[in-house]
Amino acid sequence: MRFIYVVLINLIIFQFITLLHAQDFDFFYFAQQWNPASCDSKIKCCYPTNGKPAEDFGIHGLWPNYFNGSFPKSCNKNVRYDETQISDLISSMQKNWPTLSCPSNNGTRFWSHEWKKHGTCSLSMLDIHSYFQAALALKEKVNLLQILKNEGIQPNGGFYNLEAIKKAIEKGIGHTIGVECNIDLNGNSQLYEVYVCVDKSGSNIIDCPIIPETKICNEIVEFAVFGSRNILDEGHAYSL
Ligand code: AMP
């Protein structure tokens, strides 16, 4: 009887440790998206109710990930998205983390989705306020647009070598990254998202332990402008 009791207790402890581990993570992807590319695609976009976003990268999310490439999601349904706890961050989120989904809205839906799916999986490191604050601080630290401009890569609806874009960013931040593309209305591959890797604290940039499996880019990609239709004519790009 005593033996069964000991085995049972050990089993419960083992399962508890496994559960704890399952909800932990190894590093973050900090995903930023090029706002104009979110709109220059077949997927309809709507500007947020507070106005058209800047021609800049916007935050998509801060995503806990495992070294093997998989990731935990929707880890704690009891920790809800409580906007009163991040009220001091909302104006910065409107600017730096703009919603582009339809119908036009104030961003709460997007931020709440990111918190529930990803944020609740890094509760071992960051509470809701630290989570959103960490993402905003990373956006300030990693100024992708400035880094690209410094290397002569301008968002002008033109086409650039993907490797040149990657190299410019990796030189700018000193670490390896991942890049994802989408397809514009004319069928061109365009720069869409950039993944920077961050350690578990949510503040130190690291080399990406594994590059995310994303929608692959062509060798030459467009760097779109808002409201542009780009026509490729004999290798030259024009913006309408
Ligand atoms: P995730 O679930 O974090 O991988 O993000 C994918 C979800 O985020 C999809 O439902 C997208 O429609 C949504 N999404 C991506 N970018 C935006 C954006 N800028 N505004 C609103 N929703 C977005």
Side-chain angles (χ1 to χ4, degrees):
M1 186 68 189
R2 196 184 152 85
F3 175 72
I4 292 173
Y5 185 70
V6 171
V7 169
L8 261 176
I9 295 285
N10 276 330
L11 211 68
I12 290 167
I13 292 172
F14 177 75
Q15 286 206 326
F16 183 64
I17 291 170
T18 310
L19 196 75
L20 270 185
H21 184 73
Q23 299 208 343
D24 206 7
F25 64 105
D26 297 323
F27 71 99
F28 286 107
Y29 282 125
F30 176 54
Q32 293 192 59
Q33 57 188 195
W34 179 241
N35 291 331
S38 302
C39 290
D40 185 17
S41 88
K42 270 194 194 146
I43 299 167
K44 219 178 143 208
C45 98
C46 291
Y47 294 153
T49 40
N50 64 303
K52 182 178 174 178
E55 191 147 278
D56 195 357
F57 287 87
I59 300 170
H60 182 169
L62 184 60
W63 303 335
N65 227 81
Y66 297 122
F67 288 141
N68 70 6
S70 68
F71 62 94
K73 66 176 179 185
S74 309
C75 296
N76 195 332
K77 295 199 165 67
N78 297 324
V79 186
R80 60 190 191 91
Y81 173 78
D82 177 4
E83 213 158 86
T84 62
Q85 292 189 44
I86 51 167
S87 51
D88 58 319
L89 305 176
I90 294 298
S91 68
S92 180
M93 283 160 66
Q94 285 171 336
K95 180 169 171 278
N96 296 295
W97 202 328
T99 176
L100 288 166
S101 66
C102 297
S104 181
N105 64 93
N106 65 2
T108 294
R109 207 172 53 206
F110 185 26
W111 305 325
S112 158
H113 165 82
E114 291 298 313
W115 169 252
K116 287 180 195 154
K117 181 171 172 185
H118 304 285
T120 58
C121 298
S122 54
L123 278 166
S124 61
M125 299 301 291
L126 306 170
D127 63 17
I128 186 167
H129 192 273
S130 339
Y131 176 81
F132 284 98
Q133 197 170 41
L136 291 168
L138 285 166
K139 170 76 169 62
E140 217 173 292
K141 190 168 178 177
V142 184
N143 189 339
L144 293 176
L145 182 56
Q146 195 54 55
I147 286 171
L148 289 170
K149 283 181 173 172
N150 289 348
E151 295 298 313
I153 298 171
Q154 304 281 350
N156 54 10
F159 287 77
Y160 293 90
N161 195 299
L162 176 69
E163 275 313 304
I165 291 178
K166 278 177 90 170
K167 279 206 178 100
I169 298 174
E170 289 179 345
K171 179 179 159 202
I173 65 170
H175 293 281
T176 55
I177 55 140
V179 172
E180 178 179 337
C181 293
N182 67 358
I183 305 290
D184 81 356
L185 289 167
N186 295 309
N188 300 309
S189 176
Q190 66 181 344
L191 177 62
Y192 176 48
E193 292 210 325
V194 174
Y195 298 87
V196 169
C197 293
V198 180
D199 74 1
K200 284 183 73 173
S201 73
S203 47
N204 302 310
I205 297 167
I206 56 173
D207 280 346
C208 280
I210 180 165
I211 302 294
E213 277 179 29
T214 56
K215 285 160 221 148
I216 294 168
C217 304
N218 283 357
E219 230 172 273
I220 305 290
V221 297
E222 179 192 346
F223 197 3
V225 287
F226 262 123
S228 76
R229 278 184 59 225
N230 294 297
I231 299 171
L232 249 187
D233 174 21
E234 291 174 348
H236 301 286
Y238 299 95
S239 271
L240 290 184

